[in-house]
């Protein structure tokens, strides 16, 4: 692994919907093995940023590069580029008409044209690693939210992506299930995966991040290491944001 | 009273009518599925120009009786220089009528699939056609199965107007025999029996398919 290698390069991208500027001149470089956590208030453009990175949204201005290639929905080889970028969504979005194993093996077989036997073997290994061996032949509706999300992570992993994007993957989960999904992500971190994570789990962000990006109003307001960001944020805006996660003890009037 | 000798004599004639009804019915239904899948995809993806064409087609064929459509095809096309056999007319007529119903049924199924399904499939590197055939359409079918089965049964019954363009289907056979020999009771009895022979298995198969298709996604 080469920490100097630039995997994803974002140069001055802007993106608006109707009159609203959701992303405003964002630049960011992601190196191999780096884990970047993106935090910020809702509506600050976190999800839009991730969606621009694999070409689910087109940028209005600027460029996104995966290695040497431009990422944009209108480029010809966009499906080939998307294979190299894994994405996991808040709502899991497993395919409900396919079993867990089929969900995981569909894209490697149909998109990457890999052999069924090889794909099945890898799928089984990965599912076992996230504790889903017993669920392989079940349908998504038979799984809990946390199990579905773990399966969705495996579905992204089996494509051997160069970078993984996580879009608030625990936001729809009950607390205990949040933990099981975050544990899978911590395991990925130990394997030196390159990851961009949008989350509201601040303790998790602090534990996993190499860098924290604080996004507000479509701008990168802070780009710091997690220790610094969570203890001594540089801006008032970030301090206020972090305060929304802490509560003072209630002193009752007598 | 029903004369059993008459019935035994008539059965072979009804068997011929039965095969014609089944043949034209199923070929027409196959055509209607093809039209329905393509036209509903056009509507679902809001393809410019073609969407408008599909909408006109659907309204035109849903809001005119099959008999009128058949007359148009059977008597109208030769005027325009196209000569189509009566069987061909029946298949095309049924296919076009059925296509308009199938289009709306499949489209409602397609629209019911959450857009996030498409996004997650696209994010995996799947192409648009792959997403449609492997992800969206199967889910749309699962939700639409009851309505699709109802369409199939409806279309099979609609074949009874084919006698009007001199196709010797079940209805034609019964009418013919009644006209020739006045064996009304026996002919109508056989007519009902043969239609049930065609439709009951469809109805039963429909229930089985519905159960299977819904099991994966909905559980019951």
């Amino acid at each position: 692994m080469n920490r100097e290698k630039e995997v994803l390069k974002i140069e001055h991208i802007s993106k608006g919907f109707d009159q609203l500027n959701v992303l405003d001149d964002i630049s960011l470089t992601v190196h191999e093995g780096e884990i970047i956590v993106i935090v910020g208030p809702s509506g600050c453009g976190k999800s839009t940023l991730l969606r621009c990175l694999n070409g689910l949204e087109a940028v209005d201005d600027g460029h996104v590069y995966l290695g040497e290639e431009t990422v944009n929905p209108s480029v010809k080889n966009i499906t080939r580029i998307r294979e190299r970028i894994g994405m996991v969504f808040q709502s899991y979005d497993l395919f409900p008409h396919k079993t867990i194993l089929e969900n995981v093996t569909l894209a490697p077989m149909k998109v990457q044209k890999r052999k069924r036997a090889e794909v099945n073997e890898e799928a089984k290994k990965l599912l076992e690693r996230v504790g889903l061996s017993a669920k392989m032949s079940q349908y998504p509706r038979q799984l809990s939210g946390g199990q579905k999300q773990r399966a969705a992570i495996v579905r992204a992993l089996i494509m051997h992506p160069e970078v993984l994007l996580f879009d608030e993957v625990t936001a729809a989960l009950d607390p205990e299930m949040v933990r099981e999904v975050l544990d899978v992500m911590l395991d990925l971190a130990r394997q030196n995966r390159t990851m961009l994570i949008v989350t509201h789990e601040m303790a998790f962000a602090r534990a996993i991040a190499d860098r924290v990006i604080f996004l507000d109003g479509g701008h990168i307001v802070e780009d710091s290491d997690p220790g610094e960001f969570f203890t001594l944020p540089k801006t008032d805006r970030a301090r206020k944001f972090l305060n929304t996660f802490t509560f003072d003890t209630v002193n009752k009037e007598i | 009273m029903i004369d059993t000798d008459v019935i035994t004599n008539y059965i072979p004639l009804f068997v011929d009518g039965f095969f014609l009804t089944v043949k034209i019915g199923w070929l027409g239904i196959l055509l209607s599925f093809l039209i329905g899948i393509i036209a509903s995809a056009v509507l679902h993806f809001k393809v410019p120009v073609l969407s408008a064409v599909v909408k006109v087609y659907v309204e035109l064929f849903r809001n005119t009786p099959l008999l009128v459509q058949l007359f148009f095809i059977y008597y109208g096309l030769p005027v325009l220089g196209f000569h189509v056999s009566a069987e061909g007319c029946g298949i095309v007529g049924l296919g076009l009528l059925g296509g308009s119903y199938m289009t709306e049924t499949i489209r409602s199924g397609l629209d019911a699939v959450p857009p996030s399904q498409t996004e997650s499939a696209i994010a995996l590197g799947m192409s648009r056609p792959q997403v449609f055939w492997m992800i969206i359409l199967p889910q749309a079918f699962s939700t639409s199965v009851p309505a699709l089965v109802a369409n199939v049964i409806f279309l099979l019954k609609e074949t009874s107007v084919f006698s009007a363009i001199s196709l010797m289907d079940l209805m034609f056979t019964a009418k013919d025999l009644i006209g020739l020999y006045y064996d009304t009771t026996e002919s109508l009895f056989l007519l009902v029996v043969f239609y049930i022979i065609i439709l009951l298995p469809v109805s039963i198969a429909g229930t089985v398919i519905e159960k299977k298709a819904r099991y994966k996604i909905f559980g019951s």
Side-chain angles (χ1 to χ4, degrees):
Chain A
M1 203 193 47
N2 176 4
R3 287 258 173 197
E4 297 302 307
K5 187 180 160 195
E6 292 174 353
V7 177
L8 207 54
K9 206 170 164 77
I10 301 154
E11 284 180 351
H12 304 286
I13 62 167
S14 295
K15 170 78 186 167
F17 293 104
D18 300 323
Q19 305 301 317
L20 194 71
N21 238 357
V22 180
L23 297 178
D24 193 5
D25 193 24
I26 299 235
S27 295
L28 181 68
T29 303
V30 185
H31 296 92
E32 194 172 39
E34 196 172 28
I35 297 173
I36 296 182
V37 171
I38 303 166
V39 297
S42 58
C44 71
K46 305 179 298 262
S47 292
T48 307
L49 175 59
L50 285 196
R51 293 163 61 83
C52 288
L53 300 189
N54 72 346
L56 277 181
E57 301 282 356
V59 293
D60 297 337
D61 265 315
H63 298 280
V64 177
Y65 297 101
L66 177 72
E68 301 295 309
E69 310 225 43
T70 306
V71 184
N72 197 298
S74 57
V75 300
K76 245 192 187 151
N77 58 342
I78 184 67
T79 58
R80 305 238 65 129
I81 294 171
R82 287 196 185 109
E83 280 174 41
R84 297 160 53 195
I85 305 172
M87 183 152 186
V88 187
F89 300 84
Q90 178 179 335
S91 48
Y92 339 120
D93 299 307
L94 294 176
F95 307 129
H97 59 302
K98 300 206 171 285
T99 64
I100 297 305
L101 186 66
E102 288 166 350
N103 261 279
V104 172
T105 56
L106 182 72
M109 289 195 309
K110 300 295 177 188
V111 176
Q112 296 177 324
K113 314 282 180 208
R114 285 155 62 188
K115 292 264 186 310
R116 177 185 293 272
E118 176 252 324
V119 173
N120 271 347
E121 197 179 329
E122 187 179 356
K124 282 174 188 165
K125 261 188 212 148
L126 289 170
L127 285 169
E128 194 183 340
R129 182 141 186 174
V130 300
L132 289 177
S133 293
K135 302 288 177 186
M136 282 193 290
S137 50
Q138 298 201 341
Y139 288 95
R141 66 180 165 79
Q142 296 168 302
L143 272 62
S144 72
Q147 290 169 335
K148 277 189 259 200
Q149 197 58 294
R150 283 182 276 154
I153 293 174
V154 169
R155 185 175 67 171
L157 279 180
I158 198 164
M159 301 294 282
H160 308 144
E162 291 161 40
V163 55
L164 281 160
L165 313 176
F166 293 87
D167 189 7
E168 295 196 37
V169 293
T170 59
L173 295 174
D174 292 339
E176 300 104 287
M177 293 176 183
V178 169
R179 182 74 213 199
E180 62 189 47
V181 172
L182 297 184
D183 280 341
V184 169
M185 291 165 72
L186 288 165
D187 188 40
L188 296 177
R190 282 189 282 273
Q191 298 166 36
N192 289 310
R193 302 263 183 184
T194 313
M195 305 199 265
L196 260 90
I197 304 167
V198 167
T199 185
H200 287 295
E201 301 289 335
M202 291 304 148
F204 168 71
R206 189 170 185 165
I208 201 168
D210 295 319
R211 257 164 91 191
V212 177
I213 304 277
F214 176 61
L215 211 61
D216 189 31
H219 300 280
I220 293 182
V221 179
E222 290 203 26
D223 182 347
S224 347
D225 76 74
E228 191 186 330
F229 179 76
F230 287 105
T231 45
L232 278 172
K234 282 175 269 192
T235 57
D236 266 356
R237 188 64 196 91
R239 213 166 298 134
K240 269 190 197 139
F241 172 74
L242 288 172
N243 277 339
T244 57
F245 294 93
T246 56
F247 296 90
D248 293 329
T249 313
V250 176
N251 292 313
K252 290 186 178 170
E253 294 171 19
I254 303 172
Chain B
M1 272 305 290
I2 288 184
D3 186 336
T4 47
D5 284 345
V6 173
I7 295 216
T8 359
N9 285 335
Y10 283 0
I11 282 181
L13 297 171
F14 273 91
V15 168
D16 290 343
F18 167 86
F19 281 119
L20 190 75
T21 294
V22 167
K23 179 178 149 197
I24 296 183
W26 281 107
L27 285 174
I29 285 164
L30 192 69
L31 180 62
S32 75
F33 268 105
L34 283 177
I35 295 174
I37 290 172
I38 294 166
S40 63
V42 166
L43 289 183
H44 180 70
F45 292 113
K46 302 189 175 71
V47 181
V49 187
L50 284 182
S51 285
V53 175
V54 167
K55 277 180 193 157
V56 170
Y57 154 70
V58 168
E59 294 311 325
L60 196 63
F61 279 85
R62 273 205 312 188
N63 298 318
T64 47
L66 178 59
L67 189 58
V68 175
Q69 293 167 18
L70 283 179
F71 280 158
F72 248 90
I73 297 169
Y74 191 61
Y75 297 111
L77 284 186
V79 175
L80 296 171
F82 298 101
H83 291 276
V84 189
S85 67
E87 280 194 19
C89 285
I91 294 165
V92 171
L94 196 67
L96 286 171
L97 170 78
S100 66
Y101 279 82
M102 296 296 185
T103 300
E104 283 300 301
T105 308
I106 299 171
R107 184 194 55 81
S108 71
L110 291 175
D111 290 353
V113 179
S116 59
Q117 285 286 309
T118 304
E119 289 194 340
S120 68
I122 293 240
L124 285 166
M126 293 175 81
S127 65
R128 288 275 169 185
Q130 282 179 326
V131 175
F132 181 73
W133 288 104
M134 294 176 194
I135 307 300
I136 309 300
L137 195 61
Q139 292 185 53
F141 267 117
S142 295
T143 10
S144 310
V145 166
L148 290 171
V149 172
N151 283 353
V152 167
I153 291 174
F154 157 77
L155 289 170
L156 283 172
K157 289 191 290 193
E158 282 292 294
T159 57
S160 59
V161 307
F162 286 162
S163 56
I165 54 168
S166 68
L167 279 170
M168 294 183 48
D169 71 333
L170 284 174
M171 195 69 181
F172 188 95
T173 310
K175 275 192 201 163
D176 210 26
L177 290 171
I178 293 168
L180 283 172
Y181 307 111
Y182 302 109
D183 292 321
T184 314
T185 323
E186 289 78 5
S187 300
L188 289 182
F189 172 74
L190 282 171
L191 185 61
V192 170
V193 168
F194 273 92
Y195 269 116
I196 288 179
I197 292 176
I198 293 178
L199 288 159
L200 199 60
V202 175
S203 202
I204 293 168
T207 315
V208 174
I209 294 169
E210 192 181 326
K211 260 202 166 143
K212 279 201 166 159
R214 292 185 64 84
Y215 172 77
K216 294 179 181 178
I217 303 183
F218 305 102
S220 59

